[in-house]
Amino acid sequence: MIICGHRGLANQAPENTIAGLMAAHAAGLSWVEIDVQLSQDKHLVLFHDQRLGRCTNGSGTLREHTWQQLKQLDAGLWFSRQFTDERIPLLSDYLTQAFELNIQVNIELKLYPKDEVHELCTQVSQVLAALFSQGKSMPKQLLFSSFEPQTLVLLQQLVPTVPRALLVEQIPKDWQAQLQQLGCEALHCAHAALTPARAAAIIEAGFKVSCYTVNKQSRADQLASLGVHMIFSDKPLKALPSAEHQAPNMDAR
Ligand code: G3P
Ligand code: MG
């Protein structure tokens, strides 16, 4: 089972910053999850909340600020003095650094406001096209996810080579139909929503199941035994192999 640093590695460094990427790398993680949204002038930046107050020294919504304004905010001091002057990163700068470190990135698309799906997905596609324009092919180092199915529909058209996952809190009854319709390879759910029977059904149907946000080693171990593919954690937990990858226990036969 893969341990994916949640929002970078949110227990160790300010979330959704380059410092978080470095913390994940220092902890030996090979995956990070980040939240991405649009500034007023359509720059793609890393940020979780709609409002700036919790994680910067700014105020108001992120969407009403331009990139010039956002990049002047301190996005580290709220976490600790050690991270004073940490900035909100652009997606393009973050991905460049992640790929240099050989870290794979789950880009979670936050759709604020809800009717700007076209703007959001078009910008994602353009950022990736620019990064991989010089003869470099798209690496297998990316995964898109979103709570908003319409982003997954559009990304399938715009960036079909990057796999997608549907994010849910509770697992809907029609999970299989939704995953099939959206062409998703995985379901990402809150870990408390995953029962052993549901995990088995999802894996049996040919999909991956991954869980957020898991910060206890004992729960991580349980999820690995259910065959969970990846967990999102604020801490650098240790990962057991997923049950699906374990060799058969010959003694039990
Ligand atoms: O992608 C997993 C997790 O990040 C989803 O919830 O609110 O932390 O973005 P949230
Ligand atoms: Mg997220």
Side-chain angles (χ1 to χ4, degrees):
M1 184 176 72
I2 296 164
I3 306 289
C4 179
H6 182 231
R7 307 182 193 173
L9 195 58
N11 183 262
Q12 314 256 307
E15 63 188 57
N16 287 313
T17 64
I18 298 290
L21 175 66
M22 296 306 172
H25 183 247
L29 300 187
S30 57
W31 274 90
V32 291
E33 181 261 3
I34 55 172
D35 306 292
V36 168
Q37 53 181 294
L38 280 176
S39 69
Q40 186 197 73
D41 52 346
K42 309 276 193 287
H43 283 79
L44 277 171
V45 296
L46 273 63
F47 210 70
H48 178 273
D49 299 354
Q50 274 188 273
R51 301 190 69 84
L52 293 168
R54 182 177 64 89
C55 294
T56 72
N57 58 351
S59 61
T61 67
L62 183 140
R63 190 66 179 80
E64 67 197 7
H65 290 75
T66 63
W67 167 236
Q68 280 301 324
Q69 293 169 322
L70 292 171
K71 73 185 195 185
Q72 289 168 36
L73 300 177
D74 188 311
L77 182 57
W78 70 275
F79 186 85
S80 125
R81 278 189 184 283
Q82 178 194 344
F83 295 103
T84 302
D85 279 339
E86 195 65 35
R87 301 286 142 175
I88 294 174
L90 284 174
L91 176 63
S92 53
D93 291 341
Y94 189 94
L95 290 180
T96 300
Q97 294 216 35
F99 294 155
E100 277 172 14
L101 297 170
N102 209 20
I103 289 192
Q104 305 180 69
V105 183
N106 175 189
I107 302 173
E108 183 193 336
L109 285 91
K110 296 288 190 195
L111 185 57
Y112 306 134
K114 301 278 183 220
D115 61 353
E116 294 202 343
V117 61
H118 197 265
E119 289 87 337
L120 178 66
C121 294
T122 302
Q123 286 303 316
V124 170
S125 136
Q126 288 180 0
V127 162
L128 294 182
L131 274 180
F132 302 110
S133 61
Q134 293 125 8
K136 290 190 241 165
S137 58
M138 196 80 78
K140 289 185 181 155
Q141 289 174 308
L142 287 173
L143 170 67
F144 292 134
S145 64
S146 184
F147 286 102
E148 312 294 338
Q150 64 269 43
T151 65
L152 300 170
V153 170
L154 196 48
L155 286 169
Q156 185 171 21
Q157 295 167 24
L158 295 174
V159 199
T161 52
V162 173
R164 294 166 305 283
L166 175 63
L167 260 167
V168 292
E169 193 171 340
Q170 301 299 323
I171 301 175
K173 284 202 173 82
D174 63 343
W175 57 268
Q176 189 164 357
Q178 286 199 44
L179 291 176
Q180 278 163 351
Q181 272 168 19
L182 295 166
C184 284
E185 69 161 37
L187 185 70
H188 292 184
C189 65
H191 74 88
L194 192 69
T195 61
R198 194 44 73 74
I202 295 167
I203 295 163
E204 176 71 17
F207 299 100
K208 295 173 182 168
V209 59
S210 300
C211 293
Y212 64 90
T213 303
V214 181
N215 287 332
K216 285 196 175 152
Q217 188 65 55
S218 56
R219 182 60 176 150
D221 294 346
Q222 279 175 355
L223 293 168
S225 75
L226 299 183
V228 166
H229 174 69
M230 178 155 80
I231 58 166
F232 303 92
S233 181
D234 298 321
K235 299 176 176 177
L237 301 179
K238 298 288 169 239
L240 293 176
S242 292
E244 60 187 318
H245 299 127
Q246 280 174 347
N249 181 352
M250 303 302 281
D251 295 334
R253 290 185 175 184

